[in-house]
């Protein structure tokens, strides 16, 4: 809830934000995701008002269980889509009954300058993660940080080869190190350099192969496909792209 508090100064606005009994769940391998429905993948088109209503109805059901009923899932899917009976399992909650109060102050200054203050009152929060959830969190954090590093430095990457503009490539390499120093050991760096060559060879073989086999790794043998998946898990995103 958000309550606006009166102020004698017309340029100052104060609000109190109350969060009561908030619960957060972390389901491992949920049977249904709204973001993967036909509506979100572009295979189903509905008016905006209808889409919002159906999504709200499904989210209401999913507030207490991991899987909405079949009719609800069909409302976001193309005709003929088949679903199994809905699971009745409850969510795996990592935080329950969390409450928090915040005071916000917005002050409008001269020349359209403004200040915004947020005061969070003391509260207690207890988070319970399983070992599997913690491993997933670590992998997600590492992936997000790697993507941030890649996005930050991508626009500075020279477009011409190092043999033509070596000075700019040295500037780019130094900037990468100075912007976000790596904590990897030299052993890890050596392994990444060695594995990158094998990764490129497998990717090029898969792309250039004229095999009619289907799938992402249609041009590779079963053993080569397994090795490529291992390399994709081992190498950081900066090395793969």
């Amino acid at each position: 809830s958000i309550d606006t508090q009166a102020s004698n100064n017309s340029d100052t606005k104060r609000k109190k934000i109350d969060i009561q009994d908030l619960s957060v769940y972390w389901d491992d391998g949920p049977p249904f995701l709204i973001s993967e429905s036909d509506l979100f993948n572009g295979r189903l088109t509905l008016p905006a008002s209808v889409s919002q209503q159906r999504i709200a109805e499904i989210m209401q059901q999913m507030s207490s269980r991991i899987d909405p009923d079949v009719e609800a899932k069909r409302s976001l899917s193309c005709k003929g889509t088949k679903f199994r009976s809905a699971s009745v399992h409850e969510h795996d909650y990592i935080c329950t009954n969390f409450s928090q109060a915040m005071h916000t102050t917005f002050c409008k200054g001269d020349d359209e300058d403004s200040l915004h203050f947020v005061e969070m009152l003391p509260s207690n929060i207890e988070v319970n993660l399983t070992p599997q959830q913690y491993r997933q969190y670590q992998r997600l954090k590492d992936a997000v940080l790697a993507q941030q590093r890649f996005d930050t430095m991508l626009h500075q990457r020279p477009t011409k080869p190092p043999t033509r503009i070596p000075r700019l490539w040295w500037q780019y390499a130094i900037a990468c190190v100075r912007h976000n120093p790596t904590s990897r050991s030299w052993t890890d760096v050596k392994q990444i350099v060695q594995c990158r060559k094998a990764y490129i060879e497998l990717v090029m073989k898969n792309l250039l192969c004229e095999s009619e086999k289907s799938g992402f790794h249609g041009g590779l043998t079963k053993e080569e496909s397994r090795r490529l998946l291992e390399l994709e898990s081992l190498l950081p995103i900066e090395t793969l792209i």
Side-chain angles (χ1 to χ4, degrees), residues 108-123:
K108 183 178 180 182
D110 299 333
D111 299 327
E112 297 185 355
D113 291 335
S114 60
L115 296 174
H116 194 193
F117 302 96
V118 178
E119 178 187 4
M120 300 182 66
L121 302 184
S123 63

Side-chain angles (χ1 to χ4, degrees), residues 208-220:
L208 298 176
C209 183
E210 298 180 356
S211 173
E212 296 181 354
K213 295 181 180 179
S214 60
F216 291 110
H217 298 168
L220 303 177

Side-chain angles (χ1 to χ4, degrees), residues 156-161 165 169:
Q156 301 182 20
R157 184 183 179 94
T159 56
K160 297 179 181 180
I165 49 173
W169 274 95

Side-chain angles (χ1 to χ4, degrees), residues 67-86:
D67 199 13
D69 59 42
V70 175
E71 290 301 321
K73 288 185 285 190
R74 285 176 179 169
S75 67
L76 299 184
S77 306
C78 298
K79 291 183 178 180
T81 304
K82 297 181 179 180
F83 295 98
R84 296 180 179 179
S85 299

